[in-house]
Amino acid sequence: MEPFIVSARKYRPSRFDTVIGQESITSTLKNAIRNHHLAQAFLFCGPRGVGKTTCARILAKTINCENLTEEGEACNACVSCQSFNEGKSLNVFELDAASNNHVEDIRSLIDQVRFSPQAGQYKVYIIDEVHMLSQQAFNAFLKTLEEPPAHAKFILATTEKQKVLPTILSRCQIFDFRRVGIEDIAKHLAFVAKHEGVEAEMEALHVIAQKADGALRDALSTFDQLVSYSGHQLTYKDVVENLNILDHDVFFQMTDHLLEHNTTGAFLLFDEVITRGFDGHHFINGLNGHIRNLLVSKDPQTIPLIEASQNIKDRYLEQSRRCSHPFLLRALDLGNTCDLQYRGSKNPRFLVELTLMKMAGGSAEQEPAAAPAPKKETSSSKPPATNPIQQEKKAEKKEPAPSQKPEQKSPAAAAQPAREEIATPPSPSEPTPPSHQSKTISISGILQKKGEPGNDTSPVETTPEEKHPFTQEELMVHWRAFALQSKEEGRANLHATLMKREPEIGDDFRLMLLIDNKAQEEELESQKAHLLGHLRKQLRNSAIQLETEINREEQDQTPYTAKDKFDKMAEKNPNIQKLRQQLDLDIDY
């Protein structure tokens, strides 16, 4: 029985040009060797399985090679290279700092550094997992690392650079190894499979590469495991079953259910995922990643950002054509909220199911065609369905008062949806029963929600010709609506200021409002433009202005500023003023 060698060792690179995914580092090292600009110490840092120790060994072999190539590679034919390949080189010493982390181990290493090599030009000391050295070992190593003999080179490797002392870092050339890309791992796995006589599907190799999370050694170990499971035929189905991962088909099917508003199908598919032993958190994160890929597929220029095989990219492109941007953004927002709340939920399965219900129910509402629906209804010949109050309003509008007959609605006012007409009070000349008044105000209050037409609080420019008269009652309907929305948006102080007193209508549509103090005046001034824009739009009058006046007779005595608070305290306790004078204090207001 022939001894089995794992692929990670069997196909370990022996030259710089065979290192996967670290081209910038290998090019720098080869140039340094050709130009004789080798540093005294190197620090290779990065995640596991990306080639740190491999590059250290290749560097140790190359700098002692007797017949370097023009590209700066080892010849693999000289005595030094052959002895290194056979593991018999006396010029390379490897130390595992995880198990030899005491100060005595470093002192023993320092004693060996003094002796020059018997053959070759350099002695190379490779210290793996150097961050595991103790504080005393680091300190003992500092002087030798800073001023080593000319024949000594140190190569340190670590996965946690932040744990290495800054004094060590300052004495080394630092090379940061990056995670190997999925495409690079998949290509290398295809190379290994070809040499091992294994027929492997590219989709299967992509799944292995994604599972490895940038670590080539982990990918090769998983490849050996799957070959032992499936033999010389490695299929996508075998990889998914053996690794017990959620494949792309689950998320493609789930997205189809969400687009069709098929909540039942979504629940049954999620139940199947749970039955197979997957965690709900793992599922929702996978679904978020799938929806993100669909959003990326909307633009052909961003399709390369999807780390998947070409067949999967084509499926993403096909399904993304059936998904609108609002649906994808809403689904991403809901999925992200579910991800954040999952750990703290007492019923996580219900949380995921509720998220799926919202995704399935909200996709239809987010279609772009739904926005212009109210305009189509107002412009069509068939009258839209209205409630009794709206019908009564339309009946009143057919017979306007004589004072208002010459005036006509502006195009902007005519295009407002029917829900705005419900909230508009009758004109001053129209007789309005008390019961009808109360209904109008209550419906207006109900409709004052964020995002409803006619409730935009941003400043709106109106034409100078719009100077429609309005009554105190009409003014207060929209005044209270703005105050209520301010409260919902977290501006409780502004809401209290607007609701405490009613503004009075003066000449030229100037509104006068009495306030209690300077703080209320500043709060109102910050939102004055939004308030005027709201009133001008709803009352169709661009001449509306707002003036404030502090009520001196009933001014609120509550101190607001720091100076007012100090004066209030000094009034109650005169000793505070005496203390200030005796200590010669300056009060910082």
Side-chain angles (χ1 to χ4, degrees):
M1 184 177 180
E2 296 181 1
F4 173 73
I5 302 176
V6 296
S7 299
R9 290 180 55 196
K10 185 176 181 180
Y11 295 96
R12 191 167 199 164
S14 59
R15 295 163 56 90
F16 283 122
D17 56 2
T18 57
V19 177
I20 307 298
Q22 310 295 343
E23 289 78 9
S24 60
I25 295 177
T26 55
S27 298
T28 302
L29 293 176
K30 286 193 294 184
N31 291 335
I33 294 172
R34 285 201 304 265
N35 299 328
H36 303 286
H37 286 171
L38 282 174
Q40 60 194 14
F42 301 87
L43 177 64
F44 294 167
C45 50
R48 70 183 190 280
V50 295
K52 300 185 297 297
T53 307
T54 297
C55 285
R57 292 177 177 177
I58 296 175
L59 177 61
K61 179 178 70 172
T62 306
I63 62 179
N64 280 320
C65 179
E66 300 173 1
N67 301 309
L68 281 177
T69 64
E70 295 181 358
E71 294 81 13
E73 296 280 4
C75 65
N76 281 326
C78 64
V79 177
S80 177
C81 290
Q82 290 181 356
S83 63
F84 181 88
N85 293 335
E86 296 173 359
K88 300 177 181 179
S89 177
L90 300 178
N91 294 334
V92 179
F93 301 89
E94 289 194 39
L95 178 68
D96 180 20
S99 55
N100 301 278
N101 55 3
H102 299 293
V103 65
E104 293 81 6
D105 301 314
I106 295 300
R107 287 173 179 169
S108 175
L109 178 66
I110 294 173
D111 291 338
Q112 299 178 23
V113 171
R114 296 179 299 171
F115 301 103
S116 59
Q118 294 180 352
Q121 188 175 1
Y122 299 104
K123 271 190 174 182
V124 183
Y125 297 88
I126 300 174
I127 304 178
D128 205 2
E129 300 299 334
V130 69
H131 66 276
M132 300 292 288
L133 289 177
S134 63
Q135 181 79 20
Q136 293 78 8
F138 270 130
N139 294 331
F141 189 41
L142 280 175
K143 190 62 178 178
T144 303
L145 189 64
E146 183 176 12
E147 298 178 0
H151 61 266
K153 300 294 180 182
F154 294 96
I155 306 177
L156 315 180
T158 179
T159 55
E160 300 184 46
K161 183 175 69 173
Q162 71 278 4
K163 293 185 179 180
V164 181
L165 292 182
T167 49
I168 297 291
L169 296 178
S170 64
R171 289 162 168 81
C172 302
Q173 278 191 3
I174 302 175
F175 292 87
D176 290 303
F177 285 67
R178 62 183 179 90
R179 295 182 183 274
V180 185
I182 292 180
E183 288 293 336
D184 293 334
I185 294 178
K187 291 179 181 179
H188 186 66
L189 291 177
F191 167 79
V192 174
K194 180 179 179 181
H195 281 264
E196 293 293 321
V198 178
E199 296 182 6
E201 298 177 358
M202 281 304 299
E203 291 184 5
L205 299 180
H206 269 87
V207 172
I208 298 175
Q210 292 175 4
K211 186 74 173 178
D213 192 26
L216 184 59
R217 183 174 62 235
D218 293 356
L220 291 170
S221 300
T222 304
F223 175 80
D224 290 341
Q225 173 187 342
L226 293 171
V227 169
S228 300
Y229 169 77
S230 60
H232 292 278
Q233 293 286 339
L234 189 59
T235 63
Y236 175 79
K237 183 179 179 181
D238 293 336
V239 173
V240 171
E241 289 181 357
N242 187 270
L243 298 181
N244 195 29
I245 61 176
L246 282 173
D247 59 340
H248 297 288
D249 291 336
V250 173
F251 300 116
F252 279 111
Q253 294 176 24
M254 180 60 71
T255 306
D256 289 337
H257 291 321
L258 299 179
L259 290 173
E260 298 168 359
H261 322 302
N262 185 6
T263 309
T264 303
F267 279 7
L268 292 176
L269 182 58
F270 178 59
D271 180 73
E272 180 183 344
V273 170
I274 297 298
T275 304
R276 289 168 56 185
F278 292 103
D279 181 51
H281 202 185
H282 178 66
F283 166 79
I284 201 67
N285 285 331
L287 182 60
N288 289 343
H290 180 83
I291 297 174
R292 174 262 182 193
N293 289 341
L294 289 175
L295 188 62
V296 168
S297 301
K298 280 291 187 180
D299 191 343
Q301 295 181 354
T302 56
I303 289 181
L305 297 179
I306 301 176
E307 297 179 337
S309 64
Q310 188 59 43
N311 292 337
I312 299 298
K313 289 182 180 179
D314 294 339
R315 293 184 64 182
Y316 275 120
L317 185 61
E318 188 277 329
Q319 191 175 63
S320 66
R321 294 189 182 124
R322 297 186 284 116
C323 301
S324 65
H325 273 94
F327 164 68
L328 294 176
L329 293 175
R330 175 183 172 85
L332 277 176
D333 182 51
L334 292 171
N336 182 61
T337 303
C338 180
D339 178 27
L340 296 175
Q341 297 176 352
Y342 191 90
R343 294 300 183 192
S345 176
K346 294 183 179 179
N347 191 349
R349 174 165 182 167
F350 171 73
L351 178 63
V352 177
E353 291 175 342
L354 179 63
T355 302
L356 294 177
M357 280 193 291
K358 291 180 179 179
M359 290 181 180
S363 57
E365 300 171 3
Q366 303 298 322
E367 294 298 327
K375 295 184 179 180
K376 292 182 180 179
E377 292 180 359
T378 55
S379 61
S380 62
S381 59
K382 184 178 179 180
T386 57
N387 54 35
I389 298 177
Q390 187 176 352
Q391 292 177 354
E392 185 177 352
K393 290 295 300 176
K394 290 185 177 180
E396 293 174 358
K397 290 181 180 179
K398 292 180 180 179
E399 299 178 1
S403 60
Q404 294 186 356
K405 282 185 180 180
E407 299 178 0
Q408 295 181 357
K409 289 185 177 180
S410 63
Q416 291 182 355
R419 65 181 69 182
E420 279 190 23
E421 298 179 3
I422 299 175
T424 306
S427 62
S429 59
E430 293 175 347
T432 306
S435 61
H436 182 73
Q437 281 185 357
S438 62
K439 289 182 180 179
T440 305
I441 295 174
S442 63
I443 293 176
S444 174
I446 293 173
L447 292 180
Q448 299 303 325
K449 298 179 181 178
K450 295 180 182 179
E452 288 289 340
N455 193 37
D456 186 10
T457 59
S458 59
V460 179
E461 295 183 2
T462 55
T463 58
E465 292 76 14
E466 290 186 325
K467 292 186 178 181
H468 294 266
F470 55 88
T471 63
Q472 182 73 19
E473 181 186 17
E474 293 175 319
L475 171 65
M476 291 309 300
V477 168
H478 302 295
W479 183 275
R480 295 190 185 100
F482 185 87
L484 180 61
Q485 181 169 338
S486 299
K487 184 178 180 181
E488 293 176 353
E489 294 175 353
R491 293 188 289 269
N493 293 337
L494 179 62
H495 172 265
T497 302
L498 296 177
M499 297 300 293
K500 187 169 185 178
R501 297 185 181 91
E502 295 186 1
E504 297 180 359
I505 304 176
D507 297 336
D508 296 330
F509 305 107
R510 290 186 175 273
L511 307 181
M512 178 60 67
L513 179 65
L514 283 179
I515 56 178
D516 294 334
N517 48 61
K518 192 70 175 178
Q520 290 184 350
E521 183 180 20
E522 294 176 356
E523 178 73 24
L524 187 60
E525 190 68 26
S526 65
Q527 296 296 321
K528 185 176 180 179
H530 295 278
L531 175 59
L532 288 177
H534 173 76
L535 296 177
R536 290 170 182 173
K537 178 179 179 180
Q538 300 301 326
L539 297 173
R540 293 178 287 128
N541 191 317
S542 59
I544 297 176
Q545 297 294 332
L546 177 62
E547 296 180 359
T548 59
E549 182 180 351
I550 298 179
N551 187 8
R552 302 300 178 183
E553 298 179 358
E554 301 180 2
Q555 183 177 1
D556 189 358
Q557 299 299 323
T558 304
Y560 286 90
T561 65
K563 186 177 184 306
D564 293 340
K565 293 178 181 179
F566 178 81
D567 294 341
K568 193 77 172 180
M569 294 169 58
E571 181 181 350
K572 292 183 178 180
N573 190 351
N575 292 328
I576 295 179
Q577 197 67 257
K578 294 180 181 179
L579 178 64
R580 174 189 175 186
Q581 295 174 357
Q582 291 175 358
L583 298 178
D584 194 19
L585 299 177
D586 291 332
I587 307 300
D588 185 9
Y589 296 124

